[in-house]
Amino acid sequence: MPLEALLVRELRDFVLDLRVAVDEGETLALLGVNGSGKTTVLNLLAGLLRPDGGRIALHGRVLFDAGQRIDMPTEDRRVGLVFQDYALFPHLSVRDNVAFGLRARRTDRRELGDRVDRELEAFGLADHADVPASRLSGGERQRVALARAVAVEPELLLLDEPFAALDVRSRPPLRRELRETIRRIRVPAVLVTHSIADVRACADRVSVIQRGRQVLDTTPDTLLESAIGHEWHETAGSPGRAPTG
Amino acid sequence: MPEHQVRSIPARAPARRARRAERLVVRGALGVLIAGSIAFVVLPILALILQLPVDALPRVFSDPVVVDALLLSLATATVSTAIVLMAMTPIAYVTARYAFPGRELVETLMDLPIVLPPAVAGLGLLLAFGRFGLVGQYLSVFGVSLAFTPVAVVMAQVFVASPFYLRQARTSFAELDPVYEAAARTLGASRLYVFLHVTVPLTIEGLVSGTIMTFARALGEFGATILFAGNLQGRTQTMPLAIYSTMQSDLQASCALALVLVAISFGVIAAVRVTGRRRRAA
């Protein structure tokens, strides 16, 4: 598998201990309630948090290995991360947000312009190129965050509750878009969510996480047939608990 | 209608009058207090202006004592501010972002000059870096003598003025959500690139206002300077020292220097208020 990771990290209330393997162009959804450790998984993969033990390999490159004392810095991992609130740079325009990673990697100026134009076009942002990122709607922000992450051609795409900040009605088309984007760039993707609807629309495989451990590994279609999936649907899907959109 | 209620109406009128009188007295007292406080701040500045007739300006501003002090002050305060920026920015960032053993101690020690009387700072600097000082005795072996030189002026200013920038910068960094820096790093930016292209632009108002406060404090430095650097015209005599020296011989020169400092102080307050407002609006 292009992404193979064994992650061990002691959290406040429990020990996270998880094996994650994702294929090229495949989307793995990590489904869990708040505090189950699913966002931590993304931070460990991206190098923003250091695991206490385990190993992370991406396309044969070792990003982390506790035994060999390897811990590659975040900026060298080529792991794209779309943050829950998108974390767009508020002082930059849409174009400069998308160009940020390419500039940081000292991309040749002509190539940079071409690639940024291409991403702005692909994500339907060409008309908004010069708008400050702070003035966009929720859906537009999500597109900019995706375009920004994809522009540097990551080898792994991580998505932290990419639809949670959006209103329920704008979610379905954006779910389809995300699915197409992941197919287009053909990298492994890990999607963290607490919404069954996200799982069904975007994921190829789903791993249910409870207190830092995987309790179920299945496909979105069979998720609801299992006892855990059914129970999840009953409790998390109920109004007022966790919106599934 | 019960009798006691009827009687209670006239009984209330004096109470109401008393309340109104009380309000008037409080308002009057507050007005007098505010007017008095403003006068207390404005009168000394007015006195400086009145002491200096316009036709005396050409003579005063060609006086070498005044010119030397002005140039030395601007030069040393600029150099001091630049040194504070370069030395304190990394410390401010590290103490704002990372928890490490002894962090509180570092913060407390670095803030110390803000409460330390400048005369104490000057004496301490002299005993540390003076010719026979703790460090100075070894420097003088190599022919390096710091006390009573322009370098000493800068050292005194850096010592007393650095916390003004450090505190503001630390607060600004701590208030910035680390998610922007994390996002930049996942995009392939090195820590230095992230700092220069994300952290600094997003905290620039706070950094600028801290820089202005440090410059102002350096410009006004008196106590530590006179003890550690002395009061040599053209060499270590900054504006505040020149004000002190010319006060008895040439009051008009003294006032001219004082008014230059007043003008700069006004500029500083205006600049800090403007950057503060922009920060709140953002």
Side-chain angles (χ1 to χ4, degrees), chain B residues 120-184:
Chain B
V120 176
L123 189 60
L125 284 166
L126 194 62
L127 293 177
F129 299 105
R131 206 196 302 176
F132 304 107
L134 217 53
V135 179
Q137 55 181 320
Y138 301 108
L139 292 176
S140 51
V141 172
F142 300 101
V144 177
S145 162
L146 296 174
F148 310 110
T149 66
V151 176
V153 176
V154 169
M155 287 171 74
Q157 290 176 352
V158 168
F159 189 91
V160 300
S162 58
F164 288 83
Y165 174 76
L166 181 64
R167 290 166 65 96
Q168 179 65 62
R170 194 199 295 143
T171 308
S172 299
F173 292 144
E175 282 172 358
L176 178 67
D177 190 337
V179 76
Y180 299 112
E181 292 160 343

Side-chain angles (χ1 to χ4, degrees), chain B residues 54-144:
Chain B
V54 177
D55 54 0
L57 288 179
R59 181 191 71 76
V60 165
F61 279 105
S62 57
D63 182 343
V65 175
V66 173
V67 175
D68 282 355
L70 199 66
L71 294 179
L72 183 72
S73 265
L74 291 177
T76 52
T78 304
V79 171
S80 299
T81 305
I83 292 174
V84 168
L85 277 179
M86 284 185 290
M88 296 300 149
T89 304
I91 298 176
Y93 187 76
V94 168
T95 52
R97 270 283 178 271
Y98 301 101
F100 55 89
R103 177 173 72 172
E104 297 235 339
L105 184 69
V106 170
E107 285 181 7
T108 310
L109 286 177
M110 298 305 292
D111 281 348
L112 197 59
I114 223 166
V115 289
L116 207 63
V120 176
L123 189 60
L125 284 166
L126 194 62
L127 293 177
F129 299 105
R131 206 196 302 176
F132 304 107
L134 217 53
V135 179
Q137 55 181 320
Y138 301 108
L139 292 176
S140 51
V141 172
F142 300 101
V144 177

